[in-house]
Amino acid sequence: MYTDLAIFSGRAHSALASAIAARIGQPLGRVDVFEFTNENIFVQFQENIRQRDVFLVQPFVSPVNTSIMELLIMIDAARRASAGRITAVIPYYAYGRSDKKDQPRVPISARLVANLLETAGADRILTMNLHAGQIQGFFNVPVDELNALYPVSAYFQTQRLENYIVVATDVGGEKRARDLAVRLDVPLAIIDKRRVGNNEVAEAMHVIGDVDGKNCLIVDDEILTAGTIVSAVKALRAEGAQELIVTCYHPVFGGPAWDRLASLNAREIVVTDSVPMAPEKVPSNMTILPVAPQFGDAIARIHSGQSVGALFQ
Ligand code: R5P
């Protein structure tokens, strides 16, 4: 059993953790997290957490492996401090793309990370838009997966989207794009994409659907190098597409992503704040939607034993 709610942040995205805590209406708990000279991470909770319902906020963002290890160590510290229940709050779950053995002699890293979280002592997971919903099944503890579809579609419902069609960047993203298209009451097109080797090169092969003369709202779960988006835009323009809006739930943005996104001449790029972003890098055509309300409300419901699914109805 557990008593009151306690929420703590790792070092990965303290702005998001503070916003989540504010939504719940209580301050972030006090915890020291730092690295020794030998890169070993040290964690010490600076308040009593015995029997408390502990939520640890840490998206797996750059430096990704440090973020993961830090959360594992925080969970271990909380377990050894006799926390009543520990929920790992992971707004962005890295390694999600490694979710199956699709080549010889490769790992399933998304499963390995799930095992590590459980072994460290996590009792529950709260996350948002896993790369594939089936990753939930890599855990033997309850997983609540929030969906950025709700804030993103709510935002677009307030915008003038005339003559628009929603476009999925690959066949795997069809359901995600369809859900958005249904909520915006617009048609759907899908890009037939293939990846070339393991070197982050994506190639759009065909456009399934009629985009000629249409404006396109391209949706993806995450953007890393923006190679997928660039090749999608090329294919769409070749088929006669006009104005463009790009949206993604997790703006991971690495390597050439910023330059590539700038070169698209998109009307708007709409992302969430599941991943931190340096303010000076944010271009004028980018809109960042907050996910703290969803996470805060979900945490309040988990704590009081109410339905999290009811948030989406
Ligand atoms: C792939 O299956 C994902 O849905 C994204 O399309 C991918 O992660 C985007 O990566 P990048 O921006 O590097 O092309």
Side-chain angles (χ1 to χ4, degrees):
M1 268 312 291
Y2 46 86
T3 57
D4 64 318
L5 191 160
I7 177 166
F8 298 89
S9 178
R11 292 176 299 172
H13 197 350
S14 53
L16 176 58
S18 300
I20 294 172
R23 176 75 176 198
I24 298 166
Q26 71 175 73
L28 281 176
R30 286 172 293 117
V31 59
D32 280 350
V33 185
F34 63 85
E35 257 172 57
F36 292 110
T37 318
N38 61 5
E39 295 176 17
N40 291 190
I41 296 167
F42 177 81
V43 169
Q44 186 175 32
F45 290 94
Q46 295 295 332
E47 56 190 82
N48 178 19
I49 54 171
R50 273 181 197 268
Q51 298 309 119
R52 295 176 79 187
D53 194 12
V54 171
F55 292 82
L56 305 174
V57 182
Q58 179 89 326
F60 292 160
V61 297
S62 180
V64 171
N65 297 319
T66 300
S67 296
I68 294 173
M69 193 65 200
E70 188 170 293
L71 179 59
L72 295 172
I73 292 172
M74 289 179 82
I75 294 168
D76 185 70
R79 176 60 64 223
R80 292 172 194 283
S82 306
R85 180 172 71 170
I86 302 167
T87 301
V89 182
I90 309 169
Y92 171 63
Y93 189 85
Y95 286 106
R97 284 160 70 179
S98 174
D99 61 353
K100 57 187 153 316
K101 193 160 177 259
D102 53 1
Q103 301 172 51
R105 301 174 296 283
V106 298
I108 302 181
S109 308
R111 165 79 197 225
L112 172 64
V113 173
N115 290 347
L116 291 170
L117 288 162
E118 276 186 56
T119 301
D123 295 304
R124 308 182 60 91
I125 307 293
L126 173 61
T127 187
M128 192 179 85
N129 293 96
L130 293 165
H131 180 61
Q134 297 88 317
I135 293 171
Q136 292 175 13
F138 291 175
F139 291 89
N140 293 308
V141 295
V143 176
D144 289 302
E145 183 185 357
L146 303 179
N147 194 345
L149 168 72
Y150 298 99
V152 168
S153 59
Y155 172 76
F156 284 121
Q157 279 159 356
T158 67
Q159 305 298 300
R160 281 174 70 84
L161 294 186
E162 276 165 22
N163 191 31
Y164 262 85
I165 181 165
V166 167
V167 181
T169 53
D170 56 30
V171 175
E174 185 266 348
K175 178 165 186 325
R176 181 184 315 118
R178 184 177 296 282
D179 289 345
L180 183 58
V182 166
R183 290 178 83 84
L184 300 180
D185 195 21
V186 300
L188 173 71
I190 300 166
I191 307 258
D192 172 22
K193 172 180 102 173
R194 95 171 166 183
R195 282 216 172 263
V196 186
N198 290 322
N199 55 359
E200 301 189 326
V201 177
E203 193 182 330
M205 307 292 287
H206 306 101
V207 179
I208 306 166
D210 182 10
V211 298
D212 192 13
K214 295 251 174 44
N215 299 320
C216 294
L217 169 51
I218 307 172
V219 58
D220 207 344
D221 61 333
E222 65 177 58
I223 293 177
L224 173 54
T225 65
T228 298
I229 294 292
V230 166
S231 102
V233 167
K234 211 163 132 198
L236 291 167
R237 289 214 161 114
E239 297 282 328
Q242 303 294 304
E243 188 175 82
L244 288 175
I245 298 178
V246 173
T247 187
C248 84
Y249 298 159
H250 301 298
V252 183
F253 295 173
W258 294 101
D259 289 341
R260 285 178 171 171
L261 290 171
S263 73
L264 295 178
N265 283 323
R267 165 176 141 180
E268 194 176 5
I269 299 169
V270 178
V271 300
T272 78
D273 61 355
S274 66
V275 174
M277 213 178 276
E280 65 277 10
K281 285 197 163 180
V282 177
S284 57
N285 66 341
M286 184 171 286
T287 301
I288 303 175
L289 304 175
V291 295
Q294 258 188 307
F295 275 96
D297 294 352
I299 287 171
R301 283 173 173 271
I302 290 168
H303 175 62
S304 59
Q306 295 177 71
S307 161
V308 171
L311 273 180
F312 311 132
Q313 282 155 17

